Amino acid sequence: PMMMTTSPNAGRVLKSTFHDLLCEPRGVKLFEQFLANENISADPLSSSGVSARACLQFILEVEDNNRTGPDWGKKANDIYNNYLQDKSPHQVCGLLPQSTKFELDNIFHSGKDIQSDVFNKAYDIVYEHVKEDSFKRFVRSALFSEYQRETGSLSGSTGATQPRTPSAPSSSSSSSLSSQTPNTPGHTSQLSLQPHQINENMVLCKLPGEKLIFKVVRIVIFDAGLREWVRGLLFITNFRLEFGNVTAQAGTQSAHVDLDTLDTICEMPLAAISRIEKKLAPSKIVAQGIEYTIEILSKDGRRLDFYFELESADISSTMVRTLRKFAFPDEKDKSGLFAFQYKGTFPASVKGWGIYNIYEESLRQRVPFDKWRVTDINHDYGKCSSYPSRLIVPASVSDEALEPVFEFRSKGRIPVLSWVHPLNGASITRSSQPLTGLRQARCQADEDLLSEIILSSGGRSLYLLDARPKANAVGNTVKGMGFENIANYSNCYLEFMDIPNIHVIRESHQKLDALCQSYGNDESWYAQLDATKWLALLRFVLAAAARTVSLVEEGYPVLLHCSDGWDRTAQLSSLALLMLDSYHRTLQGFQVLIEKEWIAFGHKFQERLGHGDENHADKERAPIFLQFLDAVHQLTIQFPCSFEFNGKLLHTIVEHLYSCQFGTFLYNTEQERQRHRVRERTVSLWSYVNANAEEYMNPFYLPDDTALQVSLHGDSLVLWRPVFLRWSRRLMRNTLTAEMRADMMRKQAEQMTKKMKDME
């Protein structure tokens, strides 16, 4: 089932491309006939409410208009009116991002002169859609064969189709591979392991700044994770590896391969690679002509195994060196990561790096500046290297009074404001643990600061929610740290939330990954899932956030901290804000939440994710941010109408958490990002998201300012299947996500609306 279906034209060298076809009137006519005959329900483009025939006509009219002289402007207006407006008779605009549609609307309604490149973006998008969908089906049709016979477009043909000249007979090792029994490499295909002649243009580098670095010029065998063997070609760019299956006739040993005949089976960003190992092949497949295996493990739960035939040691070694060079770049400043080569551009109107500003967010929150103030005491990061340069503290506390607190709190992470309740004034503040130690050291400035937080928050008792188990907090006193002695803090209460440390979370995630990659006994699968403790640990986090919400709703201010205040503290503050503040449940507000509570406040993304680091066993690695995203996923399941964004946004964030295509999650702190000029040298993930905002919208969203009350019952938390099982096609097949259901309902509604209009 993993092998690509052999087409009538397999094994021939196709020089005819979509571009060539557009230059041939006969080819265009046959393509139009193919589209007219094709059932529209089978046309992928029609799922967007867009006809492939309309797309083709749009392409042809733009091409024709490009050759027009003085009448360019008038014809451009006709094209815009006929294809690119929401009410156009032949709508093509359904394929375009909202930003492109806005740009076109502004141009054609402004009254200004229309430039000759006005349709470039729209043309490129529509061209790629037709080329990748309808044209690929056309290539497999009888009409395409007729076109080739008429034009002689096959290599070496003279008006009639000529078979490709076979190469030399295969080697003995290749012959043995082609005659194996089921579940062996040679069973699924007659392709042999002979060198391929590869066109330099075979692999399209999909991203601006992406370059082809390495191509394996021998067919390799890939264990796809379904106990099946697939043969194909491997390509490596400076961003990703791509493995694809090749269309060829049974019994042939070599082929000239065009990109359109490569059926991509898997892709992996190189930065997502955790470990690369080259090993001798197991003895049971050595006899089949396989000598080496390269095992690639990723940070997001993937495992790829590539197998090489005898006498390919040089190729496999070169492949390993290439992968390691780009997955684990030598540069200490991480400038070898693809984010620094990516050249993606987005409209200036799209917010990316500027999505969060402390002053704008404070005004939005309606922070009372008679009670709170912004201080730049940390402007040079000299007081706390992991905090942002500007902090919000009680207005009554001077910078001089804060100096001793920086010394008393671990890593200098003093209590600062995250959020103020707009009605009762109760605040959420965050910090790290105090350096009390075994002798129960005190700091009068720290005690005074907490008293001023109480006064700035309405005067009710302050709850100190320590995210750790009490035993862990007590254990830290031996190291000179610890927790607050409530006897020294007036009008304060201390509670421990029992959330385990990063090492427990990492171990649980490793067990979950192993389970999701295994074939396991289906009857005991849920018991094994329970044994990973992932959902149980998630419940601890959500319960602590729910406790925070409950207290703040009742008017009690809360101070959150764990050990250093950049892991569990970030989880609790951001989840509490998500439940309390409906703005953070919007597409933009969620981005602001991540920028503020995670990125600005110094969650150690570099250490927790190991970007570009070969030390996969580093004890500082832990999926803390992934656990937060899973908690958000649980909230979206329980409150499907309360979030403006859909699950695709969370999936996109997970993907680019590891990909290093964008600069958003690089480095540990704001100081490091400034030092390496991340904003100037890389693109923000939010630029990409906001430029494609319509893809991330929840059609069931109903704005509601009510605080969310999460359910913590055992059956309320579920495995995040689209993330943890996304590489297991065996386990994920037939899974229908909420986004898929919404998309189906949206298309049905559009079809019904169209029918009603037609009936009027």
Side-chain angles (χ1 to χ4, degrees):
M2 294 290 294
M3 299 300 291
M4 186 173 175
T5 304
T6 303
S7 75
N9 302 303
R12 301 166 188 164
V13 183
L14 303 182
K15 289 185 177 178
S16 181
T17 65
F18 183 45
H19 176 76
D20 296 331
L21 180 136
L22 292 177
C23 299
E24 293 277 353
R26 177 59 176 163
V28 171
K29 184 176 180 179
L30 288 172
F31 190 27
E32 288 177 327
Q33 182 181 339
F34 168 78
L35 295 177
N37 295 338
E38 190 175 49
N39 187 330
I40 193 168
S41 65
D43 182 357
L45 295 182
S46 67
S47 65
S48 302
V50 177
S51 163
R53 296 179 71 188
C55 290
L56 179 60
Q57 285 303 123
F58 169 75
I59 291 170
L60 294 173
E61 289 196 27
V62 172
E63 290 272 11
D64 183 60
N65 207 30
N66 286 338
R67 295 187 287 269
T68 301
D71 293 334
W72 160 259
K74 180 181 180 303
K75 291 188 177 181
N77 272 291
D78 290 342
I79 293 174
Y80 170 72
N81 292 328
N82 288 334
Y83 297 98
L84 300 176
Q85 292 192 92
D86 289 332
K87 297 181 180 180
S88 296
H90 310 293
Q91 283 194 20
V92 167
C93 58
L95 295 175
L96 307 182
Q98 199 65 40
S99 57
T100 304
K101 287 194 278 188
F102 285 154
E103 185 177 344
L104 286 167
D105 290 343
N106 290 334
I107 290 172
F108 281 93
H109 293 150
S110 66
K112 298 179 180 179
D113 291 339
I114 298 171
Q115 302 300 314
S116 60
D117 62 351
V118 65
F119 295 126
N120 280 8
K121 288 183 181 179
Y123 178 91
D124 290 345
I125 292 169
V126 175
Y127 183 98
E128 285 300 315
H129 270 279
V130 176
K131 175 187 170 186
E132 294 301 318
D133 289 295
S134 303
F135 180 69
K136 281 192 174 181
R137 294 195 304 281
F138 176 58
V139 166
R140 300 186 180 96
S141 71
L143 285 172
F144 184 71
S145 298
E146 179 181 342
Y147 165 61
Q148 291 182 315
R149 285 194 298 272
E150 292 178 2
T151 60
S153 58
L154 285 176
S155 177
S157 67
T158 57
T161 301
Q162 300 292 326
R164 186 189 48 188
T165 303
S167 62
S170 60
S171 66
S172 58
S173 63
S174 298
S175 300
S176 66
L177 279 170
S178 64
S179 59
Q180 299 302 315
T181 57
N183 294 325
T184 65
H187 178 66
T188 58
S189 172
Q190 294 295 320
L191 286 171
S192 70
L193 301 182
Q194 294 298 317
H196 262 48
Q197 300 172 9
I198 299 175
N199 191 327
E200 284 297 326
N201 297 319
M202 177 178 173
V203 174
L204 291 179
C205 293
K206 302 175 183 178
L207 299 173
E210 188 176 7
K211 299 176 182 178
L212 179 62
I213 302 299
F214 179 78
K215 48 185 179 287
V216 176
V217 294
R218 292 176 184 267
I219 298 177
V220 297
I221 301 176
F222 167 63
D223 183 354
L226 297 176
R227 295 180 177 177
E228 296 173 353
W229 294 82
V230 182
R231 301 166 182 263
L233 302 175
L234 180 70
F235 300 90
I236 301 173
T237 73
N238 55 341
F239 172 61
R240 64 189 168 89
L241 65 81
E242 177 178 358
F243 178 82
N245 191 6
V246 182
T247 301
Q249 286 182 325
T252 60
Q253 284 98 30
S254 67
H256 179 91
V257 184
D258 195 289
L259 180 64
D260 286 342
T261 71
L262 185 71
D263 180 24
T264 299
I265 293 172
C266 71
E267 295 181 77
M268 180 189 291
L270 301 186
I273 295 176
S274 173
R275 183 170 55 186
I276 305 166
E277 292 188 5
K278 178 182 176 182
K279 304 175 181 178
L280 289 173
S283 57
K284 62 181 179 181
I285 62 173
V286 169
Q288 301 165 24
I290 300 297
E291 184 174 15
Y292 294 103
T293 174
I294 294 178
E295 177 184 277
I296 301 174
L297 299 178
S298 76
K299 300 168 187 173
D300 57 356
R302 279 179 274 189
R303 172 174 171 165
L304 308 179
D305 293 297
F306 294 98
Y307 298 83
F308 290 80
E309 82 280 18
L310 294 169
E311 301 178 356
S312 60
D314 290 344
I315 295 175
S316 56
S317 296
T318 304
M319 173 180 165
V320 169
R321 286 196 302 272
T322 303
L323 287 172
R324 284 181 174 154
K325 176 180 178 181
F326 289 94
F328 315 122
D330 294 333
E331 294 85 355
K332 293 182 179 179
D333 64 355
K334 304 302 176 184
S335 61
L337 294 171
F338 181 69
F340 293 98
Q341 281 77 53
Y342 177 55
K343 305 300 181 184
T345 57
F346 298 92
S349 58
V350 173
K351 282 191 174 182
W353 290 122
I355 197 74
Y356 166 65
N357 176 282
I358 188 172
Y359 296 105
E360 292 177 0
E361 175 60 11
S362 299
L363 291 172
R364 184 204 64 81
Q365 283 187 29
R366 290 180 286 173
V367 172
F369 283 107
D370 58 331
K371 298 179 179 179
W372 300 90
R373 70 181 180 91
V374 176
T375 174
D376 62 355
I377 188 174
N378 197 42
H379 67 95
D380 60 354
Y381 308 102
K383 302 299 181 184
C384 176
S385 62
S386 60
Y387 259 6
S389 59
R390 293 183 176 87
L391 308 166
I392 302 179
V393 297
S396 55
V397 180
S398 67
D399 285 355
E400 290 75 18
L402 293 173
E403 297 277 357
V405 187
F406 282 107
E407 298 294 328
F408 185 66
R409 290 280 168 172
S410 177
K411 306 295 191 298
R413 297 173 68 90
I414 67 172
V416 295
L417 182 70
S418 280
W419 191 77
V420 174
H421 197 291
L423 300 179
N424 61 36
S427 66
I428 296 179
T429 49
R430 58 181 293 173
S431 71
S432 61
Q433 64 187 331
L435 303 180
T436 50
L438 290 173
R439 297 186 179 183
Q440 289 294 294
R442 296 181 60 176
C443 175
Q444 188 61 49
D446 189 74
E447 296 165 18
D448 292 343
L449 176 57
L450 267 58
S451 295
E452 293 304 320
I453 288 174
I454 293 173
L455 293 175
S456 297
S457 305
R460 301 193 72 176
S461 299
L462 174 66
Y463 278 78
L464 282 65
L465 301 188
D466 191 324
R468 303 167 292 179
K470 184 175 181 179
N472 293 22
V474 172
N476 275 357
T477 60
V478 178
K479 304 174 186 176
M481 297 169 282
F483 55 95
E484 294 83 357
N485 182 349
I486 292 303
N488 300 330
Y489 291 85
S490 176
N491 202 17
C492 291
Y493 295 92
L494 175 64
E495 296 181 10
F496 293 96
M497 296 291 101
D498 295 323
I499 303 174
N501 60 28
I502 64 170
H503 310 296
V504 175
I505 306 302
R506 180 180 60 251
E507 182 181 353
S508 172
H509 183 247
Q510 289 171 345
K511 291 179 180 178
L512 179 63
D513 260 356
L515 174 63
C516 292
Q517 292 177 28
S518 70
Y519 298 104
N521 183 343
D522 288 343
E523 295 180 1
S524 63
W525 201 88
Y526 284 100
Q528 296 176 65
L529 173 62
D530 185 60
T532 69
K533 305 295 183 184
W534 181 261
L535 294 179
L537 294 172
L538 199 60
R539 186 182 182 278
F540 280 120
V541 175
L542 284 166
R547 174 61 174 158
T548 305
V549 171
S550 175
L551 289 168
V552 173
E553 281 283 278
E554 294 174 18
Y556 294 102
V558 173
L559 170 61
L560 300 168
H561 74 69
C562 49
S563 294
D564 293 317
W566 47 48
D567 289 317
R568 289 165 284 190
T569 301
Q571 289 179 327
L572 299 190
S573 64
S574 51
L575 286 171
L577 268 59
L578 198 64
M579 295 183 206
L580 285 163
D581 192 338
S582 61
Y583 169 72
H584 289 308
R585 301 195 287 271
T586 67
L587 181 64
Q588 177 173 310
F590 190 62
Q591 298 168 37
V592 170
L593 181 72
I594 292 174
E595 283 286 337
K596 180 166 74 79
E597 295 299 316
W598 290 87
I599 297 173
F601 273 108
H603 175 65
K604 300 199 294 184
F605 283 102
Q606 174 59 43
E607 291 188 21
R608 296 292 178 256
L609 300 174
H611 291 318
D613 187 353
E614 195 169 8
N615 184 12
H616 60 86
D618 187 349
K619 297 301 182 184
E620 287 300 307
R621 294 196 188 180
I624 301 302
F625 188 70
L626 178 64
Q627 188 183 42
F628 158 71
L629 293 176
D630 195 348
V632 176
H633 160 72
Q634 305 296 332
L635 292 175
T636 64
I637 294 296
Q638 294 189 24
F639 304 95
C641 299
S642 297
F643 291 81
E644 184 186 39
F645 55 85
N646 58 28
K648 185 176 181 179
L649 175 68
L650 300 180
H651 303 161
T652 298
I653 294 173
V654 171
E655 176 185 355
H656 293 297
L657 188 63
Y658 303 104
S659 75
C660 292
Q661 179 180 340
F662 302 97
T664 303
F665 302 118
L666 297 185
Y667 303 106
N668 293 321
T669 66
E670 182 180 285
Q671 181 186 29
E672 291 178 8
R673 283 183 281 276
Q674 282 199 9
R675 182 190 308 140
H676 297 295
R677 298 171 41 245
V678 170
R679 290 194 173 204
E680 292 80 16
R681 299 170 64 199
T682 71
V683 176
S684 168
L685 170 60
W686 313 131
S687 294
Y688 171 80
V689 168
N690 293 326
N692 300 278
E694 66 277 4
E695 296 181 17
Y696 301 107
M697 291 300 183
N698 174 14
F700 305 119
Y701 175 56
L702 296 173
D704 184 0
D705 291 336
T706 306
L708 305 183
Q709 304 296 326
V710 63
S711 172
L712 299 170
H713 294 295
D715 60 351
S716 298
L717 304 184
V718 296
L719 180 68
W720 195 4
R721 293 173 64 88
V723 167
F724 294 118
L725 295 179
R726 66 194 184 282
W727 311 123
S728 176
R729 300 184 216 188
R730 183 181 70 93
L731 296 172
M732 273 300 293
R733 60 175 176 245
N734 300 324
T735 297
L736 190 63
T737 66
E739 286 71 42
M740 293 166 64
R741 293 189 185 96
D743 192 46
M744 291 168 60
M745 293 175 67
R746 184 165 46 245
K747 291 170 186 173
Q748 290 173 355
E750 291 172 355
Q751 292 172 0
M752 291 177 66
T753 301
K754 185 177 184 301
K755 288 180 180 179
M756 291 175 65
K757 287 182 179 179
D758 293 342
M759 294 171 63
E760 293 177 355

